[in-house]
Amino acid sequence: MNTSTQPDGKWMSIAEVERETGLPRATVRMWERRYGFPAPARDERGERSYDAAQVAQLRLMQRLVQQGHRPAKLVAAGAQGIRELAAPAPAARARAASPQAAALLRVVKQHDVDELKLQLLACLRRVGLEQFVAAQLPAFNALIGDAWSSGELQVHEEHLYSHVVYDVVREAIAAVAQPVRDEAPLVLLTTVPQEYHGLGLLMAHAMFALQGCQVVSLGVRLPLDQIAAAAQAYKSDLVGLSFTGALGTAHVLRSLEELRGMLPPQVRLWAGGSNPALHKRTIAGVRSIKDVLAIPAMLAEDFALPPVAAARAARKLAA
């Protein structure tokens, strides 16, 4: 099929779909193969090409899968069913109605980088780093995600928000007064090759820093053999991975099983994030992080590291 003959001309390559929806192209191809959706046309070179309606549906599906919905059931529900499921719940509408959330969304849409950073910093100073990453950021992320999945925000605007959040949290981590504790584990943080999202790693990094851990963050999309090599190179005591709902259950479980087999037995492997696979089946030698607030207690259990009170660990940022 020659997509250039389509009347609206709004066709995207699979690389563009990946950028537009946040879904790895491998996931898009897997859904096509397993569930019959999306159903791309082919351009003059035989490459996959997706129309605007399919891209919009994939964007909504990505958001719903992160919330725990199964791709097969979403495809079966059809486009209308997906739109109904993706409609903001009352709690989400209440968040959007709060002055703070409304102001945050407004400055993102206005592309006001300085004001966005000021608002995030004001919230951080008010609640402290621990509560900021454990409660405020998840709420803000959900708000931005709802606006993005509904088409209210464009991809570049969602990226703007993420970039400013990274800046704010990294600066806050650097300002943590708690020194590295000799008895604390060295923590390596990253994601598997198919996982593109790193905000979860950033939130975990903050919590580990508050507990006096030395953290080596290697960003996203690291091959499993390189994760194992890095754990050896940095003499890591703990490897932490983050998974969003965009990855299939089988892939998440297989990745964790394979990496567990590559790591020395004494190196702990923890996995967190919104992917339902993390709470579906227990994997020997792998611990699931249900919430970043659980990290201090987990460190106490696995490393006999007494938790540090957040009030003593965080230093108020200069106004």
Side-chain angles (χ1 to χ4, degrees), residues 88-122:
R93 286 195 291 269
R95 275 199 311 270
S98 72
Q100 184 180 19
L104 187 79
L105 183 59
R106 183 175 63 253
V107 296
V108 172
K109 293 166 70 173
Q110 292 172 343
H111 316 140
D112 192 337
V113 178
D114 292 337
E115 181 60 25
L116 176 58
K117 186 170 184 177
L118 285 174
Q119 289 192 19
L120 289 170
L121 282 171

PDB file of all heavy atoms in Angstrom, residues 88-122:
ATOM      1  N   PRO A  88      -9.727  10.421  32.355  1.00  0.00           N
ATOM      2  CA  PRO A  88      -9.234  10.646  33.716  1.00  0.00           C
ATOM      3  C   PRO A  88     -10.244  10.229  34.770  1.00  0.00           C
ATOM      4  O   PRO A  88     -11.428  10.528  34.664  1.00  0.00           O
ATOM      5  CB  PRO A  88      -8.983  12.155  33.754  1.00  0.00           C
ATOM      6  CG  PRO A  88      -8.778  12.549  32.338  1.00  0.00           C
ATOM      7  CD  PRO A  88      -9.665  11.632  31.535  1.00  0.00           C
ATOM      8  N   ALA A  89      -9.774   9.497  35.765  1.00  0.00           N
ATOM      9  CA  ALA A  89     -10.620   9.101  36.888  1.00  0.00           C
ATOM     10  C   ALA A  89     -10.909  10.327  37.754  1.00  0.00           C
ATOM     11  O   ALA A  89     -10.235  11.346  37.648  1.00  0.00           O
ATOM     12  CB  ALA A  89      -9.909   8.033  37.713  1.00  0.00           C
ATOM     13  N   PRO A  90     -11.924  10.240  38.639  1.00  0.00           N
ATOM     14  CA  PRO A  90     -12.220  11.382  39.507  1.00  0.00           C
ATOM     15  C   PRO A  90     -11.016  11.892  40.278  1.00  0.00           C
ATOM     16  O   PRO A  90     -10.828  13.093  40.418  1.00  0.00           O
ATOM     17  CB  PRO A  90     -13.290  10.815  40.449  1.00  0.00           C
ATOM     18  CG  PRO A  90     -13.977   9.764  39.638  1.00  0.00           C
ATOM     19  CD  PRO A  90     -12.897   9.145  38.796  1.00  0.00           C
ATOM     20  N   ALA A  91     -10.168  10.970  40.762  1.00  0.00           N
ATOM     21  CA  ALA A  91      -8.984  11.403  41.505  1.00  0.00           C
ATOM     22  C   ALA A  91      -8.043  12.214  40.618  1.00  0.00           C
ATOM     23  O   ALA A  91      -7.461  13.209  41.039  1.00  0.00           O
ATOM     24  CB  ALA A  91      -8.252  10.192  42.082  1.00  0.00           C
ATOM     25  N   ALA A  92      -7.906  11.767  39.358  1.00  0.00           N
ATOM     26  CA  ALA A  92      -7.034  12.497  38.443  1.00  0.00           C
ATOM     27  C   ALA A  92      -7.618  13.864  38.120  1.00  0.00           C
ATOM     28  O   ALA A  92      -6.886  14.856  38.020  1.00  0.00           O
ATOM     29  CB  ALA A  92      -6.834  11.692  37.160  1.00  0.00           C
ATOM     30  N   ARG A  93      -8.935  13.927  37.955  1.00  0.00           N
ATOM     31  CA  ARG A  93      -9.567  15.220  37.694  1.00  0.00           C
ATOM     32  C   ARG A  93      -9.406  16.154  38.891  1.00  0.00           C
ATOM     33  O   ARG A  93      -9.215  17.354  38.739  1.00  0.00           O
ATOM     34  CB  ARG A  93     -11.045  15.013  37.364  1.00  0.00           C
ATOM     35  CG  ARG A  93     -11.274  14.447  35.967  1.00  0.00           C
ATOM     36  CD  ARG A  93     -12.726  14.604  35.573  1.00  0.00           C
ATOM     37  NE  ARG A  93     -13.593  13.754  36.362  1.00  0.00           N
ATOM     38  CZ  ARG A  93     -13.946  12.514  36.026  1.00  0.00           C
ATOM     39  NH1 ARG A  93     -13.477  11.980  34.902  1.00  0.00           N
ATOM     40  NH2 ARG A  93     -14.747  11.804  36.779  1.00  0.00           N
ATOM     41  N   ALA A  94      -9.461  15.576  40.103  1.00  0.00           N
ATOM     42  CA  ALA A  94      -9.270  16.398  41.303  1.00  0.00           C
ATOM     43  C   ALA A  94      -7.852  16.947  41.359  1.00  0.00           C
ATOM     44  O   ALA A  94      -7.630  18.093  41.746  1.00  0.00           O
ATOM     45  CB  ALA A  94      -9.569  15.575  42.557  1.00  0.00           C
ATOM     46  N   ARG A  95      -6.872  16.096  40.966  1.00  0.00           N
ATOM     47  CA  ARG A  95      -5.489  16.573  40.930  1.00  0.00           C
ATOM     48  C   ARG A  95      -5.355  17.728  39.954  1.00  0.00           C
ATOM     49  O   ARG A  95      -4.727  18.738  40.228  1.00  0.00           O
ATOM     50  CB  ARG A  95      -4.546  15.436  40.490  1.00  0.00           C
ATOM     51  CG  ARG A  95      -4.075  14.524  41.583  1.00  0.00           C
ATOM     52  CD  ARG A  95      -2.825  13.777  41.136  1.00  0.00           C
ATOM     53  NE  ARG A  95      -2.978  13.180  39.828  1.00  0.00           N
ATOM     54  CZ  ARG A  95      -3.427  11.963  39.607  1.00  0.00           C
ATOM     55  NH1 ARG A  95      -3.805  11.210  40.615  1.00  0.00           N
ATOM     56  NH2 ARG A  95      -3.509  11.489  38.391  1.00  0.00           N
ATOM     57  N   ALA A  96      -5.971  17.547  38.786  1.00  0.00           N
ATOM     58  CA  ALA A  96      -5.858  18.578  37.761  1.00  0.00           C
ATOM     59  C   ALA A  96      -6.539  19.863  38.198  1.00  0.00           C
ATOM     60  O   ALA A  96      -6.181  20.947  37.745  1.00  0.00           O
ATOM     61  CB  ALA A  96      -6.467  18.072  36.454  1.00  0.00           C
ATOM     62  N   ALA A  97      -7.542  19.757  39.084  1.00  0.00           N
ATOM     63  CA  ALA A  97      -8.272  20.944  39.528  1.00  0.00           C
ATOM     64  C   ALA A  97      -7.533  21.702  40.629  1.00  0.00           C
ATOM     65  O   ALA A  97      -7.871  22.846  40.909  1.00  0.00           O
ATOM     66  CB  ALA A  97      -9.653  20.544  40.028  1.00  0.00           C
ATOM     67  N   SER A  98      -6.537  21.088  41.284  1.00  0.00           N
ATOM     68  CA  SER A  98      -5.826  21.777  42.359  1.00  0.00           C
ATOM     69  C   SER A  98      -5.007  22.916  41.769  1.00  0.00           C
ATOM     70  O   SER A  98      -4.466  22.799  40.662  1.00  0.00           O
ATOM     71  CB  SER A  98      -4.914  20.800  43.104  1.00  0.00           C
ATOM     72  OG  SER A  98      -3.798  20.460  42.307  1.00  0.00           O
ATOM     73  N   PRO A  99      -4.913  24.029  42.482  1.00  0.00           N
ATOM     74  CA  PRO A  99      -4.163  25.177  41.953  1.00  0.00           C
ATOM     75  C   PRO A  99      -2.717  24.838  41.596  1.00  0.00           C
ATOM     76  O   PRO A  99      -2.206  25.293  40.578  1.00  0.00           O
ATOM     77  CB  PRO A  99      -4.245  26.195  43.093  1.00  0.00           C
ATOM     78  CG  PRO A  99      -5.473  25.814  43.859  1.00  0.00           C
ATOM     79  CD  PRO A  99      -5.551  24.327  43.774  1.00  0.00           C
ATOM     80  N   GLN A 100      -2.067  24.049  42.443  1.00  0.00           N
ATOM     81  CA  GLN A 100      -0.663  23.720  42.184  1.00  0.00           C
ATOM     82  C   GLN A 100      -0.518  22.899  40.910  1.00  0.00           C
ATOM     83  O   GLN A 100       0.349  23.180  40.069  1.00  0.00           O
ATOM     84  CB  GLN A 100      -0.091  22.942  43.367  1.00  0.00           C
ATOM     85  CG  GLN A 100       1.389  22.630  43.223  1.00  0.00           C
ATOM     86  CD  GLN A 100       1.919  21.850  44.412  1.00  0.00           C
ATOM     87  OE1 GLN A 100       1.165  21.251  45.160  1.00  0.00           O
ATOM     88  NE2 GLN A 100       3.228  21.872  44.593  1.00  0.00           N
ATOM     89  N   ALA A 101      -1.384  21.886  40.747  1.00  0.00           N
ATOM     90  CA  ALA A 101      -1.300  21.039  39.559  1.00  0.00           C
ATOM     91  C   ALA A 101      -1.670  21.822  38.308  1.00  0.00           C
ATOM     92  O   ALA A 101      -1.027  21.679  37.262  1.00  0.00           O
ATOM     93  CB  ALA A 101      -2.215  19.826  39.724  1.00  0.00           C
ATOM     94  N   ALA A 102      -2.708  22.649  38.413  1.00  0.00           N
ATOM     95  CA  ALA A 102      -3.124  23.443  37.259  1.00  0.00           C
ATOM     96  C   ALA A 102      -2.025  24.410  36.835  1.00  0.00           C
ATOM     97  O   ALA A 102      -1.771  24.604  35.637  1.00  0.00           O
ATOM     98  CB  ALA A 102      -4.405  24.201  37.594  1.00  0.00           C
ATOM     99  N   ALA A 103      -1.340  25.002  37.815  1.00  0.00           N
ATOM    100  CA  ALA A 103      -0.257  25.929  37.500  1.00  0.00           C
ATOM    101  C   ALA A 103       0.904  25.202  36.842  1.00  0.00           C
ATOM    102  O   ALA A 103       1.524  25.712  35.890  1.00  0.00           O
ATOM    103  CB  ALA A 103       0.204  26.630  38.774  1.00  0.00           C
ATOM    104  N   LEU A 104       1.220  23.995  37.334  1.00  0.00           N
ATOM    105  CA  LEU A 104       2.313  23.219  36.760  1.00  0.00           C
ATOM    106  C   LEU A 104       2.018  22.881  35.305  1.00  0.00           C
ATOM    107  O   LEU A 104       2.866  23.051  34.423  1.00  0.00           O
ATOM    108  CB  LEU A 104       2.511  21.933  37.573  1.00  0.00           C
ATOM    109  CG  LEU A 104       3.734  21.091  37.197  1.00  0.00           C
ATOM    110  CD1 LEU A 104       4.986  21.690  37.807  1.00  0.00           C
ATOM    111  CD2 LEU A 104       3.551  19.660  37.681  1.00  0.00           C
ATOM    112  N   LEU A 105       0.805  22.401  35.046  1.00  0.00           N
ATOM    113  CA  LEU A 105       0.436  22.040  33.684  1.00  0.00           C
ATOM    114  C   LEU A 105       0.442  23.273  32.781  1.00  0.00           C
ATOM    115  O   LEU A 105       0.877  23.205  31.626  1.00  0.00           O
ATOM    116  CB  LEU A 105      -0.945  21.387  33.681  1.00  0.00           C
ATOM    117  CG  LEU A 105      -1.461  20.877  32.339  1.00  0.00           C
ATOM    118  CD1 LEU A 105      -0.515  19.847  31.747  1.00  0.00           C
ATOM    119  CD2 LEU A 105      -2.860  20.277  32.507  1.00  0.00           C
ATOM    120  N   ARG A 106       0.005  24.402  33.305  1.00  0.00           N
ATOM    121  CA  ARG A 106      -0.051  25.622  32.501  1.00  0.00           C
ATOM    122  C   ARG A 106       1.336  26.061  32.054  1.00  0.00           C
ATOM    123  O   ARG A 106       1.545  26.406  30.884  1.00  0.00           O
ATOM    124  CB  ARG A 106      -0.719  26.737  33.293  1.00  0.00           C
ATOM    125  CG  ARG A 106      -0.885  28.026  32.486  1.00  0.00           C
ATOM    126  CD  ARG A 106      -1.662  29.088  33.239  1.00  0.00           C
ATOM    127  NE  ARG A 106      -0.974  29.522  34.458  1.00  0.00           N
ATOM    128  CZ  ARG A 106      -1.353  29.206  35.690  1.00  0.00           C
ATOM    129  NH1 ARG A 106      -2.434  28.445  35.885  1.00  0.00           N
ATOM    130  NH2 ARG A 106      -0.675  29.637  36.741  1.00  0.00           N
ATOM    131  N   VAL A 107       2.321  26.023  32.961  1.00  0.00           N
ATOM    132  CA  VAL A 107       3.657  26.492  32.574  1.00  0.00           C
ATOM    133  C   VAL A 107       4.326  25.518  31.608  1.00  0.00           C
ATOM    134  O   VAL A 107       5.135  25.928  30.780  1.00  0.00           O
ATOM    135  CB  VAL A 107       4.561  26.759  33.805  1.00  0.00           C
ATOM    136  CG1 VAL A 107       3.987  27.880  34.646  1.00  0.00           C
ATOM    137  CG2 VAL A 107       4.766  25.509  34.633  1.00  0.00           C
ATOM    138  N   VAL A 108       3.987  24.228  31.715  1.00  0.00           N
ATOM    139  CA  VAL A 108       4.499  23.269  30.732  1.00  0.00           C
ATOM    140  C   VAL A 108       3.951  23.618  29.350  1.00  0.00           C
ATOM    141  O   VAL A 108       4.694  23.651  28.353  1.00  0.00           O
ATOM    142  CB  VAL A 108       4.130  21.827  31.120  1.00  0.00           C
ATOM    143  CG1 VAL A 108       4.493  20.862  29.986  1.00  0.00           C
ATOM    144  CG2 VAL A 108       4.849  21.411  32.396  1.00  0.00           C
ATOM    145  N   LYS A 109       2.659  23.895  29.277  1.00  0.00           N
ATOM    146  CA  LYS A 109       2.033  24.229  27.992  1.00  0.00           C
ATOM    147  C   LYS A 109       2.518  25.575  27.456  1.00  0.00           C
ATOM    148  O   LYS A 109       2.521  25.805  26.255  1.00  0.00           O
ATOM    149  CB  LYS A 109       0.513  24.238  28.152  1.00  0.00           C
ATOM    150  CG  LYS A 109      -0.057  22.853  28.426  1.00  0.00           C
ATOM    151  CD  LYS A 109      -1.479  22.902  28.911  1.00  0.00           C
ATOM    152  CE  LYS A 109      -2.437  23.323  27.825  1.00  0.00           C
ATOM    153  NZ  LYS A 109      -3.856  23.211  28.284  1.00  0.00           N
ATOM    154  N   GLN A 110       2.966  26.450  28.362  1.00  0.00           N
ATOM    155  CA  GLN A 110       3.496  27.746  27.947  1.00  0.00           C
ATOM    156  C   GLN A 110       4.995  27.685  27.627  1.00  0.00           C
ATOM    157  O   GLN A 110       5.578  28.676  27.206  1.00  0.00           O
ATOM    158  CB  GLN A 110       3.256  28.779  29.047  1.00  0.00           C
ATOM    159  CG  GLN A 110       1.786  29.135  29.247  1.00  0.00           C
ATOM    160  CD  GLN A 110       1.559  30.019  30.467  1.00  0.00           C
ATOM    161  OE1 GLN A 110       2.425  30.123  31.344  1.00  0.00           O
ATOM    162  NE2 GLN A 110       0.409  30.652  30.525  1.00  0.00           N
ATOM    163  N   HIS A 111       5.593  26.534  27.863  1.00  0.00           N
ATOM    164  CA  HIS A 111       7.016  26.312  27.595  1.00  0.00           C
ATOM    165  C   HIS A 111       7.900  27.238  28.420  1.00  0.00           C
ATOM    166  O   HIS A 111       8.976  27.659  27.976  1.00  0.00           O
ATOM    167  CB  HIS A 111       7.316  26.480  26.091  1.00  0.00           C
ATOM    168  CG  HIS A 111       6.322  25.816  25.196  1.00  0.00           C
ATOM    169  ND1 HIS A 111       5.869  26.377  24.030  1.00  0.00           N
ATOM    170  CD2 HIS A 111       5.661  24.631  25.335  1.00  0.00           C
ATOM    171  CE1 HIS A 111       4.985  25.574  23.458  1.00  0.00           C
ATOM    172  NE2 HIS A 111       4.838  24.508  24.235  1.00  0.00           N
ATOM    173  N   ASP A 112       7.443  27.529  29.637  1.00  0.00           N
ATOM    174  CA  ASP A 112       8.174  28.438  30.530  1.00  0.00           C
ATOM    175  C   ASP A 112       9.092  27.605  31.433  1.00  0.00           C
ATOM    176  O   ASP A 112       8.714  27.179  32.531  1.00  0.00           O
ATOM    177  CB  ASP A 112       7.184  29.247  31.363  1.00  0.00           C
ATOM    178  CG  ASP A 112       7.843  30.406  32.101  1.00  0.00           C
ATOM    179  OD1 ASP A 112       9.066  30.330  32.332  1.00  0.00           O
ATOM    180  OD2 ASP A 112       7.146  31.371  32.445  1.00  0.00           O
ATOM    181  N   VAL A 113      10.303  27.383  30.970  1.00  0.00           N
ATOM    182  CA  VAL A 113      11.246  26.509  31.674  1.00  0.00           C
ATOM    183  C   VAL A 113      11.583  27.064  33.055  1.00  0.00           C
ATOM    184  O   VAL A 113      11.595  26.322  34.049  1.00  0.00           O
ATOM    185  CB  VAL A 113      12.530  26.331  30.839  1.00  0.00           C
ATOM    186  CG1 VAL A 113      13.532  25.454  31.590  1.00  0.00           C
ATOM    187  CG2 VAL A 113      12.208  25.717  29.485  1.00  0.00           C
ATOM    188  N   ASP A 114      11.849  28.345  33.131  1.00  0.00           N
ATOM    189  CA  ASP A 114      12.255  28.932  34.412  1.00  0.00           C
ATOM    190  C   ASP A 114      11.139  28.834  35.449  1.00  0.00           C
ATOM    191  O   ASP A 114      11.385  28.488  36.614  1.00  0.00           O
ATOM    192  CB  ASP A 114      12.654  30.393  34.220  1.00  0.00           C
ATOM    193  CG  ASP A 114      13.929  30.557  33.403  1.00  0.00           C
ATOM    194  OD1 ASP A 114      14.722  29.596  33.361  1.00  0.00           O
ATOM    195  OD2 ASP A 114      14.125  31.627  32.810  1.00  0.00           O
ATOM    196  N   GLU A 115       9.920  29.145  35.041  1.00  0.00           N
ATOM    197  CA  GLU A 115       8.804  29.085  35.988  1.00  0.00           C
ATOM    198  C   GLU A 115       8.513  27.654  36.409  1.00  0.00           C
ATOM    199  O   GLU A 115       8.191  27.395  37.576  1.00  0.00           O
ATOM    200  CB  GLU A 115       7.558  29.722  35.368  1.00  0.00           C
ATOM    201  CG  GLU A 115       6.335  29.730  36.278  1.00  0.00           C
ATOM    202  CD  GLU A 115       6.545  30.493  37.569  1.00  0.00           C
ATOM    203  OE1 GLU A 115       7.405  31.406  37.609  1.00  0.00           O
ATOM    204  OE2 GLU A 115       5.841  30.191  38.560  1.00  0.00           O
ATOM    205  N   LEU A 116       8.632  26.707  35.478  1.00  0.00           N
ATOM    206  CA  LEU A 116       8.422  25.302  35.817  1.00  0.00           C
ATOM    207  C   LEU A 116       9.424  24.858  36.875  1.00  0.00           C
ATOM    208  O   LEU A 116       9.058  24.204  37.855  1.00  0.00           O
ATOM    209  CB  LEU A 116       8.557  24.439  34.560  1.00  0.00           C
ATOM    210  CG  LEU A 116       8.466  22.922  34.749  1.00  0.00           C
ATOM    211  CD1 LEU A 116       7.135  22.527  35.390  1.00  0.00           C
ATOM    212  CD2 LEU A 116       8.659  22.210  33.411  1.00  0.00           C
ATOM    213  N   LYS A 117      10.676  25.245  36.698  1.00  0.00           N
ATOM    214  CA  LYS A 117      11.695  24.865  37.673  1.00  0.00           C
ATOM    215  C   LYS A 117      11.427  25.512  39.022  1.00  0.00           C
ATOM    216  O   LYS A 117      11.575  24.874  40.076  1.00  0.00           O
ATOM    217  CB  LYS A 117      13.075  25.244  37.159  1.00  0.00           C
ATOM    218  CG  LYS A 117      14.209  24.752  38.055  1.00  0.00           C
ATOM    219  CD  LYS A 117      15.567  24.935  37.396  1.00  0.00           C
ATOM    220  CE  LYS A 117      16.670  24.334  38.268  1.00  0.00           C
ATOM    221  NZ  LYS A 117      18.008  24.445  37.616  1.00  0.00           N
ATOM    222  N   LEU A 118      11.008  26.779  39.017  1.00  0.00           N
ATOM    223  CA  LEU A 118      10.704  27.460  40.270  1.00  0.00           C
ATOM    224  C   LEU A 118       9.562  26.778  41.017  1.00  0.00           C
ATOM    225  O   LEU A 118       9.605  26.631  42.249  1.00  0.00           O
ATOM    226  CB  LEU A 118      10.354  28.925  39.992  1.00  0.00           C
ATOM    227  CG  LEU A 118      11.520  29.859  39.639  1.00  0.00           C
ATOM    228  CD1 LEU A 118      10.991  31.228  39.247  1.00  0.00           C
ATOM    229  CD2 LEU A 118      12.500  29.964  40.799  1.00  0.00           C
ATOM    230  N   GLN A 119       8.539  26.349  40.298  1.00  0.00           N
ATOM    231  CA  GLN A 119       7.408  25.693  40.948  1.00  0.00           C
ATOM    232  C   GLN A 119       7.823  24.347  41.543  1.00  0.00           C
ATOM    233  O   GLN A 119       7.414  23.996  42.663  1.00  0.00           O
ATOM    234  CB  GLN A 119       6.261  25.508  39.959  1.00  0.00           C
ATOM    235  CG  GLN A 119       5.577  26.811  39.583  1.00  0.00           C
ATOM    236  CD  GLN A 119       4.273  26.587  38.852  1.00  0.00           C
ATOM    237  OE1 GLN A 119       3.692  25.508  38.904  1.00  0.00           O
ATOM    238  NE2 GLN A 119       3.784  27.611  38.161  1.00  0.00           N
ATOM    239  N   LEU A 120       8.617  23.601  40.809  1.00  0.00           N
ATOM    240  CA  LEU A 120       9.070  22.307  41.331  1.00  0.00           C
ATOM    241  C   LEU A 120       9.975  22.502  42.550  1.00  0.00           C
ATOM    242  O   LEU A 120       9.878  21.766  43.540  1.00  0.00           O
ATOM    243  CB  LEU A 120       9.801  21.536  40.241  1.00  0.00           C
ATOM    244  CG  LEU A 120       8.922  21.001  39.100  1.00  0.00           C
ATOM    245  CD1 LEU A 120       9.786  20.481  37.955  1.00  0.00           C
ATOM    246  CD2 LEU A 120       8.002  19.888  39.597  1.00  0.00           C
ATOM    247  N   LEU A 121      10.858  23.493  42.489  1.00  0.00           N
ATOM    248  CA  LEU A 121      11.740  23.766  43.626  1.00  0.00           C
ATOM    249  C   LEU A 121      10.944  24.205  44.852  1.00  0.00           C
ATOM    250  O   LEU A 121      11.266  23.814  45.982  1.00  0.00           O
ATOM    251  CB  LEU A 121      12.756  24.838  43.257  1.00  0.00           C
ATOM    252  CG  LEU A 121      13.952  24.395  42.408  1.00  0.00           C
ATOM    253  CD1 LEU A 121      14.756  25.602  41.940  1.00  0.00           C
ATOM    254  CD2 LEU A 121      14.845  23.432  43.179  1.00  0.00           C
ATOM    255  N   ALA A 122       9.914  25.004  44.639  1.00  0.00           N
ATOM    256  CA  ALA A 122       9.092  25.447  45.771  1.00  0.00           C
ATOM    257  C   ALA A 122       8.422  24.258  46.443  1.00  0.00           C
ATOM    258  O   ALA A 122       8.360  24.179  47.682  1.00  0.00           O
ATOM    259  CB  ALA A 122       8.047  26.450  45.289  1.00  0.00           C
TER     260      ALA A 122
END
